[in-house]
Each structure stands twice: as C-alpha cells, then as structure tokens.
Amino acid sequence: MIAVIMAGGKGTRFWPRSTVTKPKQFLTLASEEATMLQQTYARFRSCLPEENVYVAVSENYLPIVREQLPELGENRIIIEPEQRDTAPCIALTASFFMRLERDEVLVTAPSDQYIPDTEELMEALRAAEQAARNDGVVVTLGIVPTRAETGYGYIETIENVEYAAKFGERIKEVKAFIEKPTKEKAEKLIELPNMYWNSGIFIWKPSTIAGYMMEYQPQMWSVFDLKDDEFRQSYALLPKLSIDYALVEKLERLYTIPIEFMWDDVGTWTSLERIFSTDGDGNLLLGNIFPFATRNSIIYTEQQLVVAIGVEDLIIVSTEEGLLICRKSDEQNVKHAIAALTADQEGRQA
C-alpha cells in the first residue's frame, strides 16, 4: 500500500495564522513540536516503508516541504504546477503512478488531520485495502459523528450482506453523500445509525482513479497526456474541483469503513478546543494573554500582549498578518470573509 499526502490546501479558515505563503499544513497547530505535515508524514512512516510514502504539493510550496521533510526524496514528491483542488491533484497522482507502471492500492489523505491513534488508523486502512484491490472499488473512511457538525460532509450508508461477505464485515455500502448541513439538519443526521462524517481519506488503485476520470472527467484526464510546457499551461487552466464533486459522488462501487477513534480535520479555530485543554473559564489561551472576566473564548497571539476584558464566545487572533475578531458561531464565515478581502485587495491593485 502507498500513502500519498496531499499538502496543497490554503487553510483560509485559520487566517491570520494560516496565510497564502504558509498555510495551515505547514504550521504547528496540533503540536508544539511538529507541523501538521510532519505529523501526517510520521504517522504513515511508522507503518509503511519509506519508499511508499509520497507527498503531493503545488510547486510554490516545494521549498517548505523540503525544509520540513528533509528525509523525503525528490522522487517521492508529486509536483502540481499550480493549486487546483483535490480532483486535479488526485488525477495527477494516478497519472504519476500509472507512468511508473505501479498499480498498488493508494491512500490519498489530507495533510492537516489530527489522528493520534496510528495503530487503529492503519488497521482500518488495511481492511479498506483488501476491498480496494478489486478493480473499480473505492473505499473511504467514515467517521462516527460525535456532534452536530456543520463544517463536514456526511455519508449515508446501507448494510449489504453480499459486500460484507466479499470485502469484510466492517465495510458498508455508500448510499449517498450529503453536503455540509445546517445546524438543524446536522442534529437530525447524527441521530441516524447509518450516518458518518466524510473523512476525505480515500483508498483506491491508480487504475481505478484513471478509469473513473476517463468516464466522468475526460477533459481533465486528457491533460495528463500532454508534455512539459503544454501540460503546465493546461493544468493551470483546470477547474478547481473537489474529488467528491468531480468523481466520488457519482460512483456506484463506493464503500465506507466506519471508524470511532479520535479524528479531527483541524479545519477551524474551535477544532483546537478538541485537542488542547481549556482553562477553568473555558478559554483556550495560546500566547501572552491576560484574560479578565473572559469566558469560552479562543485567544492566540504571536508577540504582543493581549488583554481580554469581558469577552465571551469570541475568537481573537493576533499575528503579523493581521487581527481576527469573530464570534465562535460565525467561524465558518472566516473563509468567505478572507475571499472577499482578497478580491477587494486585488480590485484596488488593478
């Protein structure tokens, strides 16, 4: 089995700590010693041989990857000419291994997830690998939900005795993908026994990816027949599509291995409350901070002293890049606000 760590995301919901020049996968968010990328790499290296762990990254982040993973050989870096979301990245990955005439099962995994139990993760991946060896079979890890989360997509499954007998008792057939729900809908979804969070971790063969790309995204797949400058120019023009939207939601031979161990995609500031301990007032304080009559808030500062008085249910983040002040309940809008800010700045420069 081969693990491909996708390290090309922007992590805008972690602004102003996560920036375009150094997004969250290259930051020490879930650990004081290692970045998210370093943790993910170590997780797979603890269970797989060195030659079977790869990193897929856009060209502009190559220097950071080389700095943070000096042990990673150049032949194990899959380079995207530009960031184009997970569908082009995974298509590039499949093309990369097809050219090497290697069709072992791939795990395509994000670089910014928190999974402390490596042993249980690998046990689930090995179970998924058995099914994914079959042509056309795609397996994902489904997370047993612990709260009414609006920031994740959901997977609805059904029991299938035939598939369970063929691929193992743990496996479930996927009936439908459900987009990120409202709070009210999420509260109903987590009451259902056949509902899981979509982890974004997929297990499949390069030939399986290639076959589905030719069927559902032929224009995108045709780009990988091009060479050198023509390929680079065409890749830069590919649509920014997630792999879920481009392929996975369209598939029939799709299965899930449910997992119950600790998992978090570390996608927002409040996710840190599930990793680190809060104080007696429910505050998560990172940096030089003096809270006074402050409750249930997340405050981060890199250098200057922050004094918070009478603050409740807020996210306050101070870095050289900027200052964020946001209600916890509005944190999903950080991404949209930064997109609007970027568009405004680009409009002023035009």
Side-chain angles (χ1 to χ4, degrees), residues 11-22:
T12 51
R13 280 187 289 260
F14 261 103
W15 188 90
R17 193 168 177 208
S18 175
T19 64
V20 172
T21 55
K22 197 171 187 179

Side-chain angles (χ1 to χ4, degrees), residues 106-343:
L106 300 178
V107 179
T108 54
S111 57
D112 50 6
Q113 296 184 346
Y114 177 69
I115 307 174
D117 196 330
T118 298
E119 194 170 314
E120 284 203 38
L121 169 66
M122 292 309 299
E123 184 181 325
L125 291 175
R126 291 298 184 193
E129 180 189 16
Q130 298 306 310
R133 285 176 177 166
N134 294 270
D135 292 341
V137 170
V138 180
V139 186
T140 183
L141 300 187
I143 315 298
V144 175
T146 57
R147 61 187 182 278
E149 176 62 58
T150 61
Y152 302 156
Y154 288 68
I155 299 172
E156 182 182 5
T157 66
I158 55 175
E159 301 290 343
N160 189 311
V161 177
E162 179 186 347
Y163 294 140
K166 184 176 181 180
F167 297 139
E169 293 182 1
R170 295 183 64 177
I171 201 159
K172 296 179 183 289
E173 184 180 1
V174 174
K175 180 181 179 182
F177 276 79
I178 299 169
E179 296 296 328
K180 295 175 183 178
T182 62
K183 186 72 172 178
E184 293 76 16
K185 186 174 182 179
E187 288 171 351
K188 294 178 181 177
L189 291 176
I190 64 170
E191 296 298 321
L192 301 175
N194 61 335
M195 201 66 63
Y196 303 92
W197 288 333
N198 177 11
S199 69
I201 299 173
F202 296 98
I203 303 93
W204 41 9
K205 292 193 298 185
S207 58
T208 295
I209 299 169
Y212 287 132
M213 276 286 169
M214 284 186 274
E215 182 176 355
Y216 295 108
Q217 299 293 336
Q219 278 191 298
M220 182 183 295
W221 186 247
S222 67
V223 168
F224 299 96
D225 289 328
L226 304 175
K227 304 291 184 183
D228 304 326
D229 288 345
E230 192 177 4
F231 164 71
R232 293 175 62 86
Q233 292 167 10
S234 297
Y235 192 93
L237 297 175
L238 288 176
K240 292 185 177 182
L241 290 178
S242 72
I243 194 64
D244 292 17
Y245 182 80
L247 279 193
V248 178
E249 294 176 4
K250 300 174 171 60
L251 305 183
E252 293 183 1
R253 303 188 69 191
L254 180 62
Y255 309 94
T256 285
I257 300 282
I259 56 174
E260 297 189 58
F261 53 77
M262 174 64 184
W263 171 94
D264 205 295
D265 79 338
V266 196
T268 59
W269 282 100
T270 58
S271 64
L272 298 183
E273 294 177 318
R274 298 188 288 271
I275 298 173
F276 298 106
S277 299
T278 56
D279 66 14
D281 291 315
N283 299 310
L284 179 60
L285 307 175
L286 303 167
N288 188 12
I289 300 152
F290 183 78
F292 186 84
T294 291
R295 300 175 184 275
N296 301 320
S297 293
I298 299 171
I299 307 175
Y300 173 90
T301 179
E302 289 186 345
Q303 293 181 339
Q304 64 190 118
L305 169 67
V306 172
V307 179
I309 303 171
V311 166
E312 189 165 355
D313 296 320
L314 285 188
I315 299 169
I316 302 172
V317 183
S318 174
T319 73
E320 288 186 359
E321 180 74 13
L323 172 66
L324 170 69
I325 303 172
C326 169
R327 284 193 297 265
K328 281 185 174 181
S329 59
D330 285 333
E331 71 170 342
Q332 294 294 340
N333 286 325
V334 173
K335 180 177 182 178
H336 304 302
I338 299 309
L341 171 65
T342 302

